[in-house]
Amino acid sequence: MRRPIVLVPACSQDKGSHPSYAAQNKYVDAVAVGARCQPLLVPPLGDNTDIESLLGIANGIMLTGAASNLQASLYGQETLDPSLPEDHARDETTLPLIRAALMHGIPILAICRGFQEVNVALGGTLHQAVHTVPGYFDHREDKSQSLEQQYAAAHRVKLEKGGLLAHILDGASEIQVNSLHGQGIDRLAAGLQVEARSDDGLIEAYSIAASPSFALAVQWHPEWRVEENHDSMRMFSAFGLACRVHRDRIP
């Protein structure tokens, strides 16, 4: 039987002589290996994206992390640090894609930037620099370290009892996660339900209560060496199962 198709929106990349669209291998591989689905990269074409055609073949969407931040104007703020990278083409592609996918009941798994995208797409706001907000920890990685060190477990998150994530993780009350983000949730959009928080109270995971299908977003990176992490495999497996259910509903 054919594998479910999971859309993976790509990022704009300006390295080298020719601009390109790209997605990091770890995300694509996690869809293929962890969710057992067929990843399909979607270039960030903004208004030139045929969303209805994409959703006509999609059984799921995974929103990746990225080096870039969302435009602060999208959630009513001025940019605090103009030196940080943005990806306007990705913003103009993913936000309408998210809204349309939810209307179609398509399963969504959102990671890091994707976690922030869903919140902004639905009307929420972000802290542009979590480490400058009183009461919050510094959630950024140390870029002088190796990738293995950067993606190692950095802190725990406490799971909401009875929530979707706790259910996926067999009723766990807390798990250890990595931490590689400078931005985070300020105001959670209406209709989103907190699934996990770090010890400083920052929202680390949420679900979309009104979604008729699987819809989970996490601030950490479960895609990193997904097969080596039991919790990450459970998340991707649950996402993959939802994608198969969606596939099987279509004649």
Side-chain angles (χ1 to χ4, degrees), residues 133-144:
V133 180
Y136 287 130
F137 305 147
D138 188 341
H139 288 256
R140 297 172 297 177
E141 73 276 25
D142 182 349
K143 293 185 179 180
S144 69

Side-chain angles (χ1 to χ4, degrees), residues 162-245:
L164 171 63
L165 187 55
H167 174 72
I168 291 170
L169 300 180
D170 288 338
S173 60
E174 63 181 59
I175 60 171
Q176 295 291 319
V177 302
N178 50 40
S179 189
L180 299 93
H181 62 101
Q183 302 201 334
I185 298 293
D186 178 8
R187 186 183 74 249
L188 192 65
L192 302 184
Q193 181 172 299
V194 175
E195 294 286 341
R197 293 181 186 268
S198 55
D199 285 339
D200 59 0
L202 189 67
I203 296 171
E204 290 273 351
Y206 62 77
S207 57
I208 304 175
S211 174
S213 185
F214 181 100
L216 178 67
V218 300
Q219 182 63 84
W220 66 91
H221 288 267
E223 84 288 349
W224 173 256
R225 296 185 174 175
V226 64
E227 289 184 285
E228 299 176 14
N229 187 296
H230 183 70
D231 295 332
S232 298
M233 281 298 293
R234 283 188 176 275
M235 281 184 264
F236 274 93
S237 294
F239 173 58
L241 176 59
C243 294
R244 279 182 277 281
V245 169

Side-chain angles (χ1 to χ4, degrees), residues 40-245:
L40 179 63
L41 298 190
V42 176
L45 300 177
D47 290 342
N48 287 320
T49 304
D50 187 342
I51 289 177
E52 289 303 312
S53 290
L54 289 172
L55 297 184
I57 62 171
N59 305 119
I61 296 175
M62 192 194 71
L63 298 154
T64 71
S68 63
N69 294 320
L70 281 87
Q71 303 167 67
S73 61
L74 293 171
Y75 48 94
Q77 296 182 15
E78 296 290 330
T79 300
L80 297 181
D81 186 351
S83 70
L84 295 177
E86 295 181 343
D87 188 341
H88 295 195
R90 171 160 169 164
D91 297 342
E92 292 163 4
T93 303
T94 55
L95 269 61
L97 180 65
I98 289 163
R99 297 182 191 112
L102 289 172
M103 290 179 63
H104 283 73
I106 294 175
I108 293 177
L109 176 61
I111 296 170
C112 198
R113 190 192 207 271
F115 166 92
Q116 296 163 12
E117 286 172 332
V118 174
N119 187 54
V120 170
L122 300 183
T125 64
L126 304 176
H127 291 301
Q128 294 185 51
V130 171
H131 55 284
T132 67
V133 180
Y136 287 130
F137 305 147
D138 188 341
H139 288 256
R140 297 172 297 177
E141 73 276 25
D142 182 349
K143 293 185 179 180
S144 69
Q145 295 181 328
S146 68
L147 283 179
E148 287 74 15
Q149 292 171 310
Q150 291 179 41
Y151 281 90
H155 63 76
R156 70 174 178 175
V157 295
K158 298 178 183 178
L159 308 187
E160 292 292 320
K161 186 176 181 179
L164 171 63
L165 187 55
H167 174 72
I168 291 170
L169 300 180
D170 288 338
S173 60
E174 63 181 59
I175 60 171
Q176 295 291 319
V177 302
N178 50 40
S179 189
L180 299 93
H181 62 101
Q183 302 201 334
I185 298 293
D186 178 8
R187 186 183 74 249
L188 192 65
L192 302 184
Q193 181 172 299
V194 175
E195 294 286 341
R197 293 181 186 268
S198 55
D199 285 339
D200 59 0
L202 189 67
I203 296 171
E204 290 273 351
Y206 62 77
S207 57
I208 304 175
S211 174
S213 185
F214 181 100
L216 178 67
V218 300
Q219 182 63 84
W220 66 91
H221 288 267
E223 84 288 349
W224 173 256
R225 296 185 174 175
V226 64
E227 289 184 285
E228 299 176 14
N229 187 296
H230 183 70
D231 295 332
S232 298
M233 281 298 293
R234 283 188 176 275
M235 281 184 264
F236 274 93
S237 294
F239 173 58
L241 176 59
C243 294
R244 279 182 277 281
V245 169

